């Protein structure tokens, strides 16, 4: 039996988990995204990443290794930091962003790339970007593994100067590759979309 064939319990409701992006499709896209990003930041001469925990843990790790492998000269000077935000409860956006832990390094004058797991309504990212802009980085861009264009609720200008996106997906709730449902399923290597089970 394949992983999650029996469905996933979301509260008291059993949901169907459909594989949306396989592990190899994700790995290939992370590599091509890394090549795109490496070219841009090689020209800028440096790269400072900010990993938004917890969701982008796997994406960030795979992407940064691939960037450094693609462009060793850039890899030697790359720096990184993390910020831990929480904005989601269950499968619905709370609209409020809570900071659980902050950055450890100033970003003034740096070429900053924020690494996110998913842009859903965009509220989390817009709050973070507004806060980061105050420090006046040399440039501020975002790389998000996933984006849900149909659910975007903020203006694109609020989401940094440049956005690198792995995959545009539909509005369903997704789990796997860092994305969780109440702390579960983060360590699945594929991404699954949840939908109600039809009887
Ligand atoms: P917003 O709506 O602010 O949401 O763009 C961003 C944060 O909410 C989480 N999120 C999800 N987590 N499956 C998840 O496991 C999803 O489908 C999903 N949609 C949003 C995520 O932490 C993201 O950073
Ligand atoms: Mg997140």
């Amino acid at each position: 039996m394949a992983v999650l064939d029996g469905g996933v319990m979301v509260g008291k409701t059993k949901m169907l988990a459909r594989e949306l992006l396989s592990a190899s499709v994700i790995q290939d896209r992370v590599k091509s995204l890394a090549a795109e990003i490496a070219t841009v930041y090689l020209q800028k001469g440096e790269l400072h990443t900010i990993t938004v925990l917890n969701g982008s843990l796997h994406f960030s790790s795979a992407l940064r290794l691939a960037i450094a492998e693609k462009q060793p000269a850039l890899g030697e000077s790359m720096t990184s930091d993390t910020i831990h935000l929480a904005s989601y409860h269950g499968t619905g956006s709370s609209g409020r962003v809570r900071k659980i832990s902050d950055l450890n390094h100033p970003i003034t004058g740096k070429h900053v790339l924020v690494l996110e797991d998913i842009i859903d309504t965009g509220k989390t990212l817009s709050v973070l970007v507004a806060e980061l802009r105050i420090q006046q980085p040399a440039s501020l861009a975002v790389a998000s593994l996933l984006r849900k264009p149909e659910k975007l609720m903020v203006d694109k200008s609020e989401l940094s100067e440049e956005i690198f996106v792995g995959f545009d997906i539909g509005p369903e709730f997704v789990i796997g590759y860092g994305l969780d449902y109440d702390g579960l399923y983060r360590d699945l290597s594929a991404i699954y979309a949840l939908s109600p089970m039809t009887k």
Side-chain angles (χ1 to χ4, degrees):
M1 197 165 93
V3 67
L4 302 185
D5 264 2
V8 167
M9 290 307 291
V10 171
K12 287 181 179 158
T13 314
K14 198 169 203 183
M15 303 283 276
L16 195 70
R18 174 176 53 92
E19 188 179 284
L20 190 65
L21 301 163
S22 70
S24 69
V25 163
I26 297 170
Q27 284 160 17
D28 287 352
R29 181 63 187 125
V30 168
K31 275 192 192 144
S32 65
L33 205 54
E36 222 179 286
I37 291 169
T39 307
V40 172
Y41 285 87
L42 191 66
Q43 270 174 7
K44 291 187 196 286
E46 62 166 43
L47 171 58
H48 180 71
T49 62
I50 294 178
T51 300
V52 184
L53 298 172
N54 284 321
S56 70
L57 203 66
H58 295 307
F59 172 55
S60 164
S61 166
L63 187 80
R64 287 183 295 135
L65 287 171
I67 292 171
E69 201 171 305
K70 187 78 191 167
Q71 293 292 355
L74 181 63
E76 278 176 23
S77 66
M78 274 169 64
T79 51
S80 61
D81 204 348
T82 59
I83 190 164
H84 191 174
L85 304 178
S87 60
Y88 232 76
H89 299 288
T91 60
S93 180
S94 69
R96 289 187 313 273
V97 181
R98 202 156 49 92
K99 192 186 290 173
I100 294 165
S101 70
D102 210 342
L103 299 175
N104 282 309
H105 305 284
I107 58 164
T108 308
K110 290 183 183 166
H111 289 290
V112 175
L113 180 65
V114 174
L115 304 180
E116 258 287 26
D117 51 354
I118 187 162
I119 301 172
D120 189 307
T121 63
K123 287 179 193 167
T124 306
L125 189 56
S126 69
V127 169
L128 176 60
V129 162
E131 190 179 313
L132 295 179
R133 275 183 175 150
I134 295 169
Q135 286 198 47
Q136 299 189 320
S139 68
L140 182 59
V142 173
S144 184
L145 177 64
L146 305 172
R147 178 173 63 183
K148 295 180 179 174
E150 291 164 50
K151 292 192 65 191
L152 198 63
M153 285 175 67
V154 301
D155 196 81
K156 275 191 182 143
S157 63
E158 291 178 46
L159 302 179
S160 87
E161 294 133 39
E162 191 167 9
I163 304 185
F164 302 91
V165 176
F167 304 93
D168 275 327
I169 61 169
E172 320 99 307
F173 193 78
V174 290
I175 54 169
Y177 205 81
L179 294 141
D180 69 308
Y181 168 68
D182 277 357
L184 298 170
Y185 313 116
R186 275 195 208 284
D187 303 301
L188 301 172
S189 51
I191 290 175
Y192 300 81
L194 300 186
S195 57
M197 274 200 168
T198 45
K199 288 180 192 143

